[in-house]
């Protein structure tokens, strides 16, 4: 009897954490083209321009990594500009606050 109660409690806890993880993934700031799980993500309390109040959000670092280092040549600068424009169109706000959060400047 005691084992079955423990097992039931364990199953309920696990199903709740799986639902929370899938919900967090849906709220993750990432590239719209990403169709696989993000290999490197962080969670930060933030308030972006389109948010009413601060909230805990995840950011897929992998998708933003090309924007975190300076461009070495004009082709890389152009690629960074295109990626910046793509993210700003997807997120509907300036990308700089997200990059500041990743760099821990904010």
């Amino acid at each position: 009897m005691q084992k079955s109660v423990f097992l039931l409690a364990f199953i309920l806890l696990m199903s709740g954490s799986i639902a929370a993880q899938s919900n967090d993934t849906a709220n993750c700031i990432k590239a719209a083209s990403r169709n696989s799980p993000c290999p490197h993500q962080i969670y930060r309390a933030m308030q972006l321009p389109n948010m009413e109040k601060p909230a805990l959000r995840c950011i897929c670092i992998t998708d933003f990594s090309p924007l975190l280092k300076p461009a070495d040549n004009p082709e890389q600068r152009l690629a960074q500009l295109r990626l910046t424009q793509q993210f700003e169109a997807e997120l509907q706000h300036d990308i700089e606050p997200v990059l500041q959060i990743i760099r821990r400047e904010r």
Side-chain angles (χ1 to χ4, degrees), residues 12-29:
L12 289 173
L13 275 172
M14 291 306 293
S15 64
S17 69
I18 290 170
Q21 287 174 355
S22 65
N23 194 17
D24 286 345
T25 304
N27 291 330
C28 199
I29 300 171

Side-chain angles (χ1 to χ4, degrees), residues 28 34 37-42 59-65 102:
C28 199
R34 175 167 291 285
C38 180
H40 183 199
Q41 60 188 13
I42 61 170
I59 302 172
C60 181
I61 299 294
T62 305
D63 293 343
F64 291 91
S65 62
I102 294 170

